[in-house]
Amino acid sequence: MSDSPGAALRDLRERKPLIHQITNYVVMNETANATLAIGALPVMAHAVEEVEEMASAAGALVLNIGTLSRPWIEAMVLAGKAAGGPVVLDPVGVGATTFRTETARRILDEVDVAIVRGNAAEVAALAGLEAETGAEIARTAAQRLGVVAAVTGRVDHVSDGTHTTAVANGDPLLATITGSGCISTALTGCFAAVRPPLEAATIALGALGVAAEDAAREAEGPGTFHARLYDALYTLRPEALDERTNISDA
Amino acid sequence: MSDSPGAALRDLRERKPLIHQITNYVVMNETANATLAIGALPVMAHAVEEVEEMASAAGALVLNIGTLSRPWIEAMVLAGKAAGGPVVLDPVGVGATTFRTETARRILDEVDVAIVRGNAAEVAALAGLEAETGAEIARTAAQRLGVVAAVTGRVDHVSDGTHTTAVANGDPLLATITGSGCISTALTGCFAAVRPPLEAATIALGALGVAAEDAAREAEGPGTFHARLYDALYTLRPEALDERTNISDA
Amino acid sequence: MSDSPGAALRDLRERKPLIHQITNYVVMNETANATLAIGALPVMAHAVEEVEEMASAAGALVLNIGTLSRPWIEAMVLAGKAAGGPVVLDPVGVGATTFRTETARRILDEVDVAIVRGNAAEVAALAGLEAETGAEIARTAAQRLGVVAAVTGRVDHVSDGTHTTAVANGDPLLATITGSGCISTALTGCFAAVRPPLEAATIALGALGVAAEDAAREAEGPGTFHARLYDALYTLRPEALDERTNISDA
């Protein structure tokens, strides 16, 4: 890492980039609130009539295929081609249905995707890999797909195919709320507007992990954890991020 | 009841069934989080291109007509016909518009629905009944529609047309948040993946009721109640469910 | 103001008007919960097959263009023409894309809109004004568009073109959650069902502001503030609203 996570967070909050998100219905409110809490500006827009104008004005574009349909796919491709900043893809459910796998591959074919963020099963399915360790999946997927691959799990791994980082932050409560993966993708989009892809994804996962540790401290279950997660992202100090992110080479 | 609610909850958490939900925009995050909190796995998918594949792989399918449109109706029917497990229907707003009434009836005609879960007005309108007591509506609707009917209210009633149960748990704060009915339907889907319809609906309503009682204890209004409801579903112990559910024959 | 805010709140809770909302995906749950918390009944419906029936039965109709697409625009226009009560428009993102600006103007052309509620940039863009103060934007937009214009900001301004009110309540945490503007529009719809437009918008913004002050008191950031905002709307006493709303002529 050529840069400190805290410095990236300071930059993000100073520049307040606009993050255009074409994402799934289940998590729209959550990713918008996480984007605001970390210090960026979310905008959701999916009409083919406006996505190019919006994507070209945004600092980054996040595409998430969690609740697909034909008109949304067309919008994602149009927005992806017009994007003025880096494009982050969340291949939700790839491997679960043929439609999702084909859609994610089509987006990778037609759009210059900078970062793919998914769990091990999704990223492995997308890259046509057998299940291996997170670090191996990230490295091989990055090479095959020509992207930075971020594979989240108990320990997260981010790779550009040459360099691979491991992020060992977070809390098990993250797995008890829907959309925690989608939130990590949205935060990756936020940092991608101010840092190169490998650093952006690594720092985003570190920031979410540290915030989750804070949120878990007084949570009594998934619901209070969820509310406190936004508090923790919002009150996250750059110095704390520098001290507490557990990032290493993998 | 041939089985204890606590045993059903233990089974659910051990098997972690996949619950495919084609539901309304307002409550998607909420029903997904309730599904996770009780111990099952939610998946939302509504594209005609993938619903059959998803529904056939799921342990149960939940159809909720709260924010209808033509493409979603087609997806519901396709998914319902392909479902690999029981189908639960939530006839949100039936009686309020002709479109909703006709859609719910079409789904009942074309899909083998196992359980209908609604409030007294919705279930009565769906079955063409005059307003009566919850127990009567449940029993008669079950007979006329050939389903298990779950009618929620201050006391909930579940009937297969022959046997009728009453569930007297819950808290008035449930009525102050949107989607508490939809959550009860989603939880019914969770238990329907591991128990027969009459038991599944009865236990689901008992579990939500007991969790609501817990959530209400330290809530200061609808917002903190809502957050604590997921905490309570997640921390609900099978023994507590057995002790505290107030289930009787009606 | 010919009437007290507390009396309007009492009326609202007694009459419990049905508020039909055709709004964006990001905030549907939030505006429904705010509507319930203040004491009205929300219903979401967007299918062209049912919006006229629903809108004609409702006490007010809220149109929000935050996540537009063609079918939704047609539904908004149909509902707006059939509305049985006042129509409130939230021009989310007008000025950001041509599509949004044109859509908001089309709705104003084809529907008898009673109140427009937006931030200064949105209302100014909609009315074709240069950025001025909130009070000037509200007054001029009201005159040009033939509506009551509600411009929210640090201090909110509401004008019918002749009379202009200023509302100085609220908390900076409102700006840290997505949908606080949309919530203010939904609450405006609630009060519009029981009071004339200028009073309705003024009282709604006062009520949200006072509730935000209460919610902020024990909040530890945006997430706990958000949960407590519904608590505060629900527990808001009419007497407290009368005492604490800071409304003046502008």
Side-chain angles (χ1 to χ4, degrees):
Chain A
M1 303 280 300
S2 61
D3 191 18
S4 99
L9 179 57
R10 258 184 228 104
D11 258 24
L12 175 66
R13 288 180 178 162
E14 195 178 312
R15 295 196 216 168
K16 294 189 182 307
L18 183 70
I19 312 300
H20 180 189
Q21 307 180 32
I22 307 182
T23 187
N24 73 71
Y25 300 120
V26 185
V27 303
M28 281 191 189
N29 191 269
E30 285 63 36
T31 65
N33 272 328
T35 301
L36 278 172
I38 200 70
L41 293 175
V43 68
M44 272 62 181
H46 68 282
V48 292
E49 291 89 348
E50 69 173 352
V51 287
E52 292 163 289
E53 194 175 351
M54 198 67 95
S56 67
L61 172 67
V62 175
L63 304 177
N64 175 310
I65 65 167
T67 53
L68 278 180
S69 64
R70 287 272 170 225
W72 287 67
I73 297 170
E74 299 314 315
M76 288 186 191
V77 170
L78 282 175
K81 289 179 175 172
V87 179
V88 182
L89 172 66
D90 190 329
V92 180
V94 159
T97 69
T98 308
F99 185 55
R100 295 194 183 211
T101 307
E102 287 177 353
T103 298
R105 288 186 178 155
R106 180 182 161 198
I107 292 171
L108 283 170
D109 275 352
E110 299 191 26
V111 173
D112 182 17
V113 172
I115 307 173
V116 169
R117 200 295 314 162
N119 63 33
E122 289 163 345
V123 178
L126 186 60
L129 304 171
E130 295 298 309
E132 302 163 83
T133 70
E136 287 172 299
I137 291 169
R139 187 180 297 112
T140 313
Q143 291 166 351
R144 286 202 193 173
L145 304 176
V147 299
V148 163
V151 176
T152 48
R154 203 179 51 77
V155 175
D156 308 318
H157 292 91
V158 183
S159 181
D160 62 7
T162 306
H163 298 96
T164 303
T165 62
V167 185
N169 291 98
D171 187 276
L173 279 169
L174 275 174
T176 68
I177 58 167
T178 193
S180 54
C182 305
I183 287 174
S184 73
T185 307
L187 294 177
T188 298
C190 295
F191 283 100
V194 298
R195 285 294 181 277
L198 181 67
E199 288 179 54
T202 303
I203 294 169
L205 297 174
L208 179 59
V210 170
E213 294 164 11
D214 287 340
R217 205 163 298 127
E218 295 189 55
E220 298 174 34
T224 48
F225 171 76
H226 191 178
R228 286 176 178 281
L229 186 59
Y230 303 105
D231 291 0
L233 287 168
Y234 183 74
T235 57
L236 186 60
R237 290 179 307 108
E239 302 75 27
L241 191 58
D242 281 334
E243 281 167 30
R244 292 171 53 199
T245 43
N246 191 350
I247 297 172
S248 56
D249 290 328
Chain B
M1 302 281 301
S2 61
D3 190 20
S4 100
L9 179 57
R10 257 184 229 106
D11 257 24
L12 175 67
R13 288 180 177 161
E14 195 177 311
R15 297 196 215 168
K16 292 188 183 309
L18 183 71
I19 311 301
H20 181 189
Q21 305 181 32
I22 308 182
T23 186
N24 74 70
Y25 299 121
V26 185
V27 303
M28 281 192 188
N29 190 269
E30 285 62 37
T31 65
N33 272 328
T35 301
L36 278 172
I38 200 70
L41 294 174
V43 67
M44 271 64 180
H46 67 284
V48 292
E49 292 88 349
E50 69 173 351
V51 288
E52 291 164 289
E53 193 175 351
M54 198 68 94
S56 66
L61 172 67
V62 176
L63 305 178
N64 174 311
I65 66 167
T67 54
L68 277 181
S69 63
R70 286 271 170 228
W72 286 67
I73 298 170
E74 298 314 315
M76 288 185 191
V77 170
L78 283 175
K81 288 178 176 172
V87 179
V88 182
L89 172 65
D90 190 328
V92 180
V94 160
T97 69
T98 308
F99 185 55
R100 295 193 183 211
T101 307
E102 288 176 354
T103 298
R105 288 187 178 154
R106 180 181 161 200
I107 292 171
L108 283 170
D109 275 353
E110 299 191 24
V111 172
D112 182 16
V113 172
I115 306 173
V116 169
R117 200 295 314 163
N119 62 34
E122 289 161 347
V123 177
L126 185 60
L129 306 170
E130 295 297 309
E132 302 163 83
T133 70
E136 287 170 300
I137 292 170
R139 184 180 301 113
T140 314
Q143 291 166 352
R144 286 203 193 172
L145 305 175
V147 299
V148 162
V151 176
T152 49
R154 204 179 51 76
V155 173
D156 308 318
H157 292 90
V158 183
S159 181
D160 62 7
T162 306
H163 298 97
T164 303
T165 62
V167 185
N169 291 98
D171 188 275
L173 280 168
L174 276 173
T176 68
I177 58 167
T178 193
S180 55
C182 305
I183 287 174
S184 74
T185 307
L187 295 177
T188 298
C190 296
F191 283 100
V194 299
R195 285 296 180 277
L198 181 68
E199 288 179 53
T202 303
I203 294 169
L205 297 174
L208 179 60
V210 170
E213 293 164 10
D214 288 339
R217 205 163 297 125
E218 295 189 55
E220 298 174 34
T224 48
F225 171 75
H226 191 178
R228 287 176 178 281
L229 187 59
Y230 303 104
D231 291 1
L233 287 168
Y234 183 75
T235 56
L236 186 59
R237 290 179 308 108
E239 301 75 26
L241 191 58
D242 281 334
E243 280 166 31
R244 293 171 53 201
T245 43
N246 191 350
I247 297 172
S248 56
D249 290 328
Chain C
M1 302 281 302
S2 60
D3 191 19
S4 99
L9 179 58
R10 257 184 228 106
D11 257 23
L12 175 67
R13 289 181 176 159
E14 195 177 312
R15 296 197 217 167
K16 294 190 182 306
L18 183 70
I19 312 300
H20 181 190
Q21 307 182 32
I22 308 182
T23 187
N24 74 71
Y25 299 122
V26 185
V27 304
M28 281 191 190
N29 190 269
E30 285 63 35
T31 65
N33 272 327
T35 301
L36 278 172
I38 200 69
L41 293 175
V43 68
M44 272 63 179
H46 68 283
V48 291
E49 291 88 348
E50 69 173 350
V51 287
E52 292 164 288
E53 194 175 351
M54 197 68 93
S56 67
L61 171 68
V62 176
L63 304 177
N64 174 311
I65 66 168
T67 54
L68 277 181
S69 64
R70 286 274 170 225
W72 287 66
I73 298 170
E74 298 314 315
M76 287 185 192
V77 171
L78 282 175
K81 288 179 177 173
V87 179
V88 182
L89 172 66
D90 190 329
V92 181
V94 159
T97 69
T98 307
F99 185 56
R100 293 192 186 213
T101 307
E102 288 176 355
T103 298
R105 288 187 179 153
R106 179 181 163 200
I107 292 171
L108 283 170
D109 275 352
E110 300 191 26
V111 172
D112 182 16
V113 172
I115 307 173
V116 169
R117 200 295 313 166
N119 63 34
E122 289 162 347
V123 177
L126 185 59
L129 305 171
E130 296 296 309
E132 304 163 80
T133 70
E136 287 171 301
I137 291 170
R139 187 178 299 112
T140 315
Q143 291 165 352
R144 286 203 193 174
L145 304 175
V147 300
V148 163
V151 176
T152 49
R154 202 179 52 75
V155 174
D156 308 319
H157 292 91
V158 183
S159 181
D160 63 7
T162 306
H163 298 97
T164 303
T165 62
V167 185
N169 291 98
D171 188 276
L173 279 168
L174 275 174
T176 69
I177 58 167
T178 194
S180 53
C182 305
I183 287 174
S184 74
T185 308
L187 294 178
T188 298
C190 296
F191 283 99
V194 298
R195 285 294 181 279
L198 181 68
E199 288 179 52
T202 303
I203 294 170
L205 297 175
L208 179 59
V210 170
E213 294 164 10
D214 287 339
R217 205 162 297 126
E218 295 189 56
E220 299 174 33
T224 46
F225 171 75
H226 191 178
R228 287 176 179 281
L229 187 58
Y230 303 105
D231 290 1
L233 286 168
Y234 183 75
T235 56
L236 186 60
R237 289 179 308 107
E239 301 75 27
L241 191 58
D242 280 333
E243 281 167 30
R244 293 171 53 200
T245 43
N246 192 350
I247 297 172
S248 55
D249 290 329

